[in-house]
């Protein structure tokens, strides 16, 4: 059985919200590693790159959310 457009939109929004939640939590985790609260055993430069990458991921997900809800 195929989903209706409304059902697809709702499921897409739910999935996107979950991805945004996970990405935001991952960013917080990386920032805790940068502050020395969590030890990843990698250089600070690597952690800074991880933070930068995760911030870009959040931007992309927010962009997708905006476009989905236009």
């Amino acid at each position: 059985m195929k989903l209706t457009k409304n059902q697809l939109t709702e499921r897409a929004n739910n999935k996107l919200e979950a991805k945004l939640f996970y990405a935001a939590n991952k960013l917080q985790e990386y920032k805790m590693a940068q502050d020395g609260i969590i030890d990843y055993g990698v250089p600070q430069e690597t952690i800074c790159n991880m933070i930068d990458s995760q911030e870009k991921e959040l931007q992309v997900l927010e962009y997708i959310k905006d476009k989905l809800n236009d």
Side-chain angles (χ1 to χ4, degrees):
M1 174 169 129
K2 286 192 172 187
L3 298 172
T4 66
K5 179 157 173 86
N6 285 343
Q7 289 172 319
L8 284 169
T9 301
E10 181 180 348
R11 287 178 183 223
N13 276 317
N14 291 344
K15 185 172 278 201
L16 192 53
E17 285 298 324
K19 286 190 173 289
L20 279 163
F21 177 79
Y22 176 78
N25 283 343
K26 189 54 92 172
L27 179 59
Q28 292 298 68
E29 183 180 317
Y30 292 160
K31 287 183 177 182
M32 290 190 324
Q34 185 180 39
D35 294 340
I37 297 169
I38 298 174
D39 182 17
Y40 276 167
V42 296
Q44 278 293 323
E45 181 181 347
T46 301
I47 293 171
C48 288
N49 290 337
M50 292 162 60
I51 289 171
D52 184 56
S53 176
Q54 196 63 25
E55 287 172 341
K56 289 175 183 171
E57 177 70 8
L58 274 168
Q59 287 178 350
V60 170
L61 291 171
E62 286 290 346
Y63 177 81
I64 293 169
K65 180 181 176 184
D66 289 343
K67 290 299 178 184
L68 184 63
N69 293 313
D70 275 349

